[in-house]
Amino acid sequence: MGRRPVTVRLARWSAEHPWRAIGLWVVFVAVCFVGGNAAGLTEATDEDMAIGEAGRAQLIVDGGNFDRPAVENVLITPRAGALDQTAAKAAADDTAARLRQIDGVASVGAPMPSRDGRALLVPITMSGDPKTASDRVQPLRDETARVQQAHPQLRVEQVGGPSINKALDDTLGKDFKRAELLSLPVTLAILIIAFGALIAAGVPVLLALSSVAAAMGLSTLASHLVPATDTTASVILLIGMAVGVDYSLFYVRREREERAKGRSGLDAVEIAAETSGHAVVVSGFAVIISMAGLLLANDAVFSSLAVGSILVVAVAVTGSLTVLPALLAKLGRWVDRPRVPLLWRLTAPRTGRPGERAPRFWPAVLKPALRAPLATLVVSVGLLLALAAPALGLKLKFPGMEDLPRTTAAMQAYDRLTAAFPSTGTSHTVAVRAPAEQADRVRAALTDLAGRAAADPLFAPAEGDGPKIEVSADRRVSVLEVATPYASRTDEAARSLHELRDDLAPAALRGIRASSTRSAAASPTARTTPHTSGTSCPW
C-alpha cells in the first residue's frame, strides 16, 4: 500500500490521541481570540476607502480640514391645502425655543421659507463630533415630536443627515442582528432533522462556533495588514457557521454510517477522513481560491471580506481534519444520543442486520432521482439557474438612504424636504486644490460654475444666500456644492454629474485641477463615501 493521504494520517493521530487533539484545538482557538483582541483592530480609513476619482475628490475635501458640524432640519408643512404662515411661524419659534435647551445643539438658525411658500425650514447645528451625530440625535427627535403634539394642525418633522443615518443604521443593524441570531437556532434545527440525535447535531455547531471565534481573532491580527471594515465580523460569523457546519456534517454522517456497519471507531474515522475529509479539503481550497479573487478588486471592503472569509474557511477545514475526528473517537456511540424518536427512525443509518426495518423517508425522496437521473439533473439545473437569474442584474453599491423603504418616516420626511427645498437633496461637490495665491481666482471660477449650473434644468437653484463655497484655512482647498433635484441613483442625477464633469466644470475651471463627486445627503454632514462618483481632470 502507498502512503496514506494526509487527511487520514491527521484523523488517525487525532482519534488515537483525542485529548491531545482537543486540548491543542482549545489552545489554538484561545490564543487566536485573545491574541487578536490584545493586538487591536485596525479599521479602514477614508484613504483606504477612497475609490477612483470620487475617492480622490473626497480626499481633497478631507485635506481641507473643514469644520463641518452635523446639521439637522425641522420641516414644517401643512397637512392639506396652503400653509398657514402665522401658525407655521409659531411652530418654528416653539421649535427654536425648545431645541436651544437641548444638550448637543450648538445653534438654531432662522426659519427659511420655501420658494413656493408651502414649507418652512428650521436648520439646527449640532455640537460635538459629526461622525457620532446619529448616535446623539434622538433627544432632538423627541423634542421635535413634542412640538408636533403642540401643533397638531401642522406637520412638524425632523430630517437631516444624522436622522437618516440613524434610520439606516437601525435598519441594516436589525437585518444583520436578525441573520446572526437566526443562524444558530435554524442551523441546529436543520442538523437535528438530519441526524435525529442531539449530540450529533451539536458537534458541527460546536466546531463552527469555535472556528468563528478563532477566525475573529486572526482577522483582527490580519487587519494590521489589510484594514477591516464594519461588515467583516458579520461575514465571518455567517460564512463560518455555513462552512463549519457543512464540512462537519458530511464527516459525521459518513463516520456514523461506517460505525453502524460494524466497523471499529478508528476504522470508521479513517474511512470518513479518506472520503469526506478529502471532499472537505477540496471544497475548502475551492472556496479560498474563489474568495481570494476579491483581492483583485483592489478595494478595502472587498479585501477585508476576502481575508475574513479565507481565514474562517481555513480554520473550519483545519478543525474538521483534526479536532472533529478526536471528538468522534471520544464520543463513540454516544454521538447518537439522545435520540429524537420520530426523527431517529427516519434518519438512522442502516446497520445491515437481518430483519432491520428500512427507513422510508429518504428513499422516498431519492426515488424519483434514481429512476430518472437525467431528467432530475435537467430540472435541478433549471431551478438553480432560475434562482440565480436575479444575479444578472446585480449592482454593487454601498448601503445608502435609497435602501430605506419610502414608507419609513425618515424617507417620507426627506421626500417632502427635497420637494420643498431641492438644494437640500442630492448634491455634487467640486473640490479644487490649488496654490494659496490662486484662491481668489478659484472662488471666482466656482461662482461662475454655480451660475452656469443654476441656468441648467438638471441642477437645483441654490437656497438662501447663493452658492455654497468653502475655502480651507490655508486657502489651498476650495469646495463648491452643486445641487440637483433628482435622487442620487437616478439617470437624471448621473447625467447632471457627467454634464458637470464634461462641460460646465472644464469651461469654468480651465487651468485648475479639480475633482467632482456626487453624494446623496440631506446635509453636509451626511455620509458621502457610500454615494460618491466623480472624476479628476486638469482644467
Side-chain angles (χ1 to χ4, degrees):
M1 294 179 63
R3 188 176 178 85
R4 290 180 301 175
V6 66
T7 57
V8 177
R9 284 181 279 139
L10 282 173
R12 186 176 183 87
W13 184 90
S14 298
E16 290 178 342
H17 309 87
W19 288 119
R20 292 185 187 178
I22 294 172
L24 288 173
W25 179 256
V26 171
V27 170
F28 168 72
V29 173
V31 168
C32 291
F33 189 76
V34 174
N37 287 333
L41 182 69
T42 301
E43 297 188 22
T45 62
D46 291 339
E47 187 172 357
D48 295 322
M49 302 284 285
I51 304 172
E53 301 299 336
R56 286 191 285 273
Q58 187 61 45
L59 291 179
I60 292 176
V61 176
D62 294 341
N65 296 318
F66 294 102
D67 181 17
R68 290 184 167 183
V71 176
E72 280 284 282
N73 303 283
V74 173
L75 181 67
I76 302 172
T77 55
R79 293 191 177 276
L83 179 65
D84 184 336
Q85 298 296 330
T86 303
K89 182 65 167 57
D93 293 341
D94 189 15
T95 298
R98 290 173 180 265
L99 290 179
R100 286 193 181 102
Q101 307 302 317
I102 300 296
D103 185 27
V105 174
S107 64
V108 179
M112 181 171 59
S114 63
R115 292 178 180 273
D116 59 7
R118 289 180 51 84
L120 198 63
L121 188 68
V122 181
I124 307 161
T125 302
M126 296 180 63
S127 59
D129 186 358
K131 294 182 179 180
T132 63
S134 59
D135 301 326
R136 299 179 285 107
V137 75
Q138 191 57 45
L140 282 70
R141 294 170 58 85
D142 294 340
E143 200 60 46
T144 301
R146 296 187 184 97
V147 175
Q148 172 65 88
Q149 293 176 356
H151 303 270
Q153 74 279 17
L154 299 171
R155 185 185 289 113
V156 182
E157 48 197 348
Q158 186 172 318
V159 60
S163 293
I164 293 176
N165 287 340
K166 178 176 174 55
L168 181 63
D169 291 340
D170 289 344
T171 301
L172 295 181
K174 289 178 182 178
D175 290 343
F176 274 118
K177 288 180 180 178
R178 187 181 300 112
E180 293 168 359
L181 292 175
L182 289 178
S183 62
L184 183 58
V186 170
T187 299
L188 188 59
I190 292 173
L191 290 173
I192 291 174
I193 294 173
F195 289 124
L198 297 183
I199 293 180
V203 168
V205 173
L206 179 63
L207 180 63
L209 290 174
S210 62
S211 299
V212 167
M216 289 282 193
L218 291 175
S219 68
T220 302
L221 294 172
S223 70
H224 293 273
L225 298 176
V226 180
T229 60
D230 54 0
T231 58
T232 305
S234 296
V235 170
I236 289 177
L237 174 60
L238 297 178
I239 291 183
M241 289 299 298
V243 298
V245 168
D246 189 35
Y247 295 160
S248 303
L249 189 150
F250 296 110
Y251 204 110
V252 174
R253 185 83 182 181
R254 185 58 186 269
E255 190 271 345
R256 292 171 74 233
E257 290 175 350
E258 295 300 326
R259 189 162 33 78
K261 294 177 182 178
R263 300 185 188 276
S264 66
L266 188 59
D267 290 340
V269 168
E270 283 192 350
I271 294 174
E274 191 168 6
T275 54
S276 298
H278 177 74
V280 166
V281 173
V282 172
S283 174
F285 273 103
V287 175
I288 288 173
I289 292 172
S290 63
M291 296 305 295
L294 293 176
L295 296 172
L296 300 178
N298 195 28
D299 174 75
V301 175
F302 287 148
S303 295
S304 66
L305 295 182
V307 171
S309 302
I310 290 171
L311 289 174
V312 75
V313 171
V315 171
V317 170
T318 303
S320 298
L321 300 180
T322 56
V323 71
L324 182 58
L327 286 172
L328 294 176
K330 198 63 184 175
L331 288 170
R333 296 191 178 278
W334 276 97
V335 76
D336 293 331
R337 301 287 193 278
R339 299 172 179 176
V340 181
L342 177 60
L343 295 176
W344 175 258
R345 287 196 296 271
L346 294 175
T347 61
R350 299 287 301 277
T351 63
R353 298 191 184 102
E356 179 185 27
R357 185 178 179 181
R360 297 180 179 179
F361 179 73
W362 293 118
V365 172
L366 296 175
K367 189 174 182 180
L370 296 175
R371 280 187 173 181
L374 181 59
T376 302
L377 176 63
V378 172
V379 172
S380 301
V381 172
L383 289 175
L384 290 174
L385 291 176
L387 292 173
L392 296 175
L394 181 67
K395 294 182 179 179
L396 299 178
K397 62 182 181 180
F398 283 97
M401 64 174 63
E402 293 84 355
D403 300 308
L404 289 173
R406 309 310 288 193
T407 55
T408 61
M411 292 312 298
Q412 289 180 348
Y414 175 77
D415 289 339
R416 282 188 280 268
L417 173 68
T418 55
F421 302 89
S423 65
T424 60
T426 303
S427 65
H428 306 301
T429 301
V430 179
V432 182
R433 181 165 51 202
E437 56 269 20
Q438 294 189 31
D440 293 336
R441 177 187 172 193
V442 171
R443 174 178 282 277
L446 291 178
T447 303
D448 178 53
L449 173 58
R452 294 170 184 261
D456 193 313
L458 284 174
F459 299 94
E463 305 286 350
D465 300 329
K468 303 174 183 178
I469 301 176
E470 293 180 280
V471 181
S472 62
D474 61 4
R475 295 172 58 84
R476 293 173 57 85
V477 177
S478 301
V479 177
L480 168 67
E481 298 286 342
V482 183
T484 177
Y486 304 102
S488 64
R489 291 176 184 168
T490 60
D491 293 337
E492 293 84 359
R495 284 203 305 271
S496 67
L497 175 63
H498 290 303
E499 182 169 335
L500 181 63
R501 289 180 184 170
D502 302 335
D503 300 324
L504 300 180
L509 300 169
R510 194 172 306 277
I512 301 173
R513 184 172 181 80
S515 300
S516 300
T517 174
R518 176 178 50 140
S519 66
S523 72
T525 56
R527 300 179 198 174
T528 58
T529 303
H531 313 286
T532 58
S533 174
T535 187
S536 175
C537 305
W539 290 324

